[in-house]
Amino acid sequence: MKHFIFVLFFTFFIRSNLMAETSKLDLKPEFQIGAEANFFLELAHSPSSVQGQSRFDFALLQISPEIKVDEKVALYFRFVLAEERSTSEKNYLTELQNAFIRYRDLNHEYWIHELGLIRSAWHNVETEIHDLDFFGDPGRSLARRYGLVAEGDLGYQGHYKKNDKRSWVFGITNGEENKENEKGPNKEVFVGHFFQQQDLIIRIWGSAGRVDRIDTELSDKQRIFLAFQKRFGRSTLGVEGVYAKDSSLDLEANGRFEGITFTELLQPREINTSGYRLDLGYDLSSTQKVILRFDEIRPGSNSKKLQSFETAWIKKESSNLIWGLFIEKTEFGAQHSSQSRQRERARLGIEIVF
């Protein structure tokens, strides 16, 4: 599938140039490339002894080329060279996570259309609320931390933005989540509403789909996300809420909720998950901030709930460099996999954006 996407985009690009030459238009595509490196040094007491007590790892290493064909059409790519993974996954595996065509009709300037291996708009706006992404999975939104929204999926995404404060997003994907192996035909529809002004941010997201190769009575996959952030002078209050409905087989197969298992179930069943996050930030200066967080998520029952307490200090050296310290303590539910009940870790993290 990924090779097909490359061929499709390359053919589209060549065809655009041939049409320009034929019509004697002076078409000069613009090429830009962005890059981001997030890495950390960790000291930890973890449920698994596989990783040891200390490590150096990448939270994310990516490059993002962009080709602007003309005022209407642009091609976007996102290559992930390395990212934080569990001990059961291959590390430093380069992959194409996003590759799509973005189209804007000049006669309808409020609309933007994206088609291909798209990146969810929920992920694209996440960093506007969450300041701790560069510390890895624990610092990300609940949706990303626990694998509730794919990093890439084949489909269509439309944006309607009439002003700088309010925008709508909707679309449909095949629901395969950019996996290495094809799972068969599927689908997932979604809609989102984003509101932002100087001191207030509100995000709402909903999606509904089905999971392939599972009993039809247990194949539903639904998501509702809410994110709210309000600034009071130097202080910032944030709230994030999550609701999800999944099959227990799908949760296990995709390693969601930090590799949760349901070995106690005699038969697969539907799992309803609810969770929330509270965070409080305080600006020490124009370049420094401290953040306190608490989050809890319950995949089906109290015996599997996860609770995290997080503290962070971050410093912005420039528009390209941020660094800081991050401390996390996570309590696992009594039946959450075979892991022990507690994880503690401290990270020194650095984010470099080019």
Side-chain angles (χ1 to χ4, degrees):
M1 182 61 71
K2 295 178 183 178
H3 296 294
F4 170 76
I5 294 173
F6 272 122
V7 173
L8 174 64
F9 282 2
F10 181 76
T11 303
F12 179 87
F13 183 73
I14 294 299
R15 182 175 179 272
S16 298
N17 280 280
L18 290 175
M19 290 177 63
E21 290 179 2
T22 303
S23 59
K24 296 182 181 181
L25 295 176
D26 185 17
L27 181 61
K28 296 181 179 179
E30 300 177 6
F31 179 81
Q32 296 180 346
I33 186 168
E36 181 176 342
N38 301 336
F39 51 93
F40 59 84
L41 177 66
E42 176 186 273
L43 295 174
H45 171 71
S46 301
S48 172
S49 61
V50 176
Q51 295 178 345
Q53 296 299 305
S54 64
R55 65 171 172 149
F56 171 77
D57 204 349
F58 280 85
L60 180 66
L61 182 62
Q62 71 173 32
I63 57 174
S64 306
E66 173 187 341
I67 303 173
K68 185 177 180 181
V69 179
D70 55 30
E71 294 182 352
K72 295 183 178 181
V73 179
L75 311 181
Y76 289 81
F77 303 88
R78 180 171 176 264
F79 296 90
V80 174
L81 309 183
E83 64 180 336
E84 184 178 0
R85 297 171 181 266
S86 70
T87 55
S88 62
E89 296 177 300
K90 292 183 179 180
N91 212 356
Y92 313 124
L93 178 64
T94 302
E95 63 179 2
L96 174 66
Q97 285 198 348
N98 307 111
F100 58 89
I101 298 171
R102 175 174 289 175
Y103 174 77
R104 167 175 282 175
D105 189 338
L106 300 182
N107 295 323
H108 302 86
E109 58 181 351
Y110 302 139
W111 287 95
I112 297 177
H113 308 276
E114 296 175 349
L115 183 65
L117 189 58
I118 61 176
R119 181 171 176 79
S120 168
W122 185 260
H123 289 342
N124 288 335
V125 302
E126 174 184 304
T127 54
E128 296 179 15
I129 297 181
H130 304 281
D131 301 308
L132 308 180
D133 288 9
F134 65 96
F135 289 111
D137 288 339
R140 293 174 174 171
S141 70
L142 296 182
R144 292 191 69 193
R145 178 178 186 178
Y146 295 117
L148 296 177
V149 178
E151 295 291 334
D153 211 340
L154 280 172
Y156 163 80
Q157 183 168 249
H159 303 255
Y160 179 78
K161 185 175 182 180
K162 195 169 183 178
N163 53 55
D164 294 335
K165 292 184 177 182
R166 194 182 302 272
S167 64
W168 289 87
V169 178
F170 65 93
I172 183 170
T173 65
N174 69 357
E176 294 183 0
E177 301 191 16
N178 195 21
K179 300 297 183 182
E180 289 296 325
N181 298 319
E182 298 285 352
K183 293 185 177 182
N186 219 327
K187 62 182 180 300
E188 184 172 6
V189 296
F190 58 87
V191 62
H193 180 227
F194 305 143
F195 175 82
Q196 179 172 353
Q197 60 183 21
Q198 185 175 1
D199 296 326
L200 178 64
I201 297 177
I202 300 175
R203 317 282 194 204
I204 302 174
W205 185 272
S207 66
R210 302 182 71 84
V211 178
D212 196 33
R213 295 183 181 178
I214 291 180
D215 189 296
T216 55
E217 296 182 357
L218 298 172
S219 61
D220 288 344
K221 183 172 71 172
Q222 298 178 9
R223 305 282 186 265
I224 298 175
F225 304 139
L226 170 66
F228 168 87
Q229 179 176 289
K230 175 66 175 177
R231 174 171 287 276
F232 305 92
R234 288 193 171 191
S235 301
T236 304
L237 173 66
V239 180
E240 182 182 358
V242 169
Y243 169 78
K245 182 167 71 173
D246 304 86
S247 164
S248 57
L249 291 177
D250 183 64
L251 295 180
E252 291 182 327
N254 288 283
R256 308 191 201 279
F257 303 114
E258 303 210 23
I260 194 172
T261 61
F262 295 88
T263 55
E264 78 282 2
L265 297 180
L266 298 179
Q267 297 291 334
R269 68 177 178 86
E270 184 179 272
I271 303 297
N272 292 290
T273 300
S274 60
Y276 66 93
R277 164 175 282 167
L278 302 174
D279 62 82
L280 178 64
Y282 182 78
D283 296 338
L284 298 173
S285 67
S286 60
T287 60
Q288 298 184 59
K289 177 187 293 188
V290 291
I291 299 174
L292 301 177
R293 279 187 177 177
F294 171 78
D295 64 58
E296 177 180 292
I297 199 150
R298 298 170 183 259
S301 67
N302 287 336
S303 63
K304 292 183 180 295
K305 71 178 180 181
L306 291 89
Q307 291 182 331
S308 288
F309 302 86
E310 301 169 358
T311 305
W313 168 82
I314 58 176
K315 188 174 189 297
K316 185 176 182 179
E317 300 290 352
S318 67
S319 59
N320 304 106
L321 176 62
I322 303 175
W323 70 284
L325 299 173
F326 177 87
I327 299 174
E328 175 216 355
K329 179 180 179 181
T330 296
E331 296 282 348
F332 293 87
Q335 296 182 19
H336 188 274
S337 187
S338 59
Q339 300 176 351
S340 64
R341 297 290 304 279
Q342 183 172 294
R343 178 180 65 209
E344 298 174 331
R345 55 188 174 188
R347 289 181 171 179
L348 170 64
I350 300 175
E351 176 182 87
I352 303 175
V353 180
F354 304 96

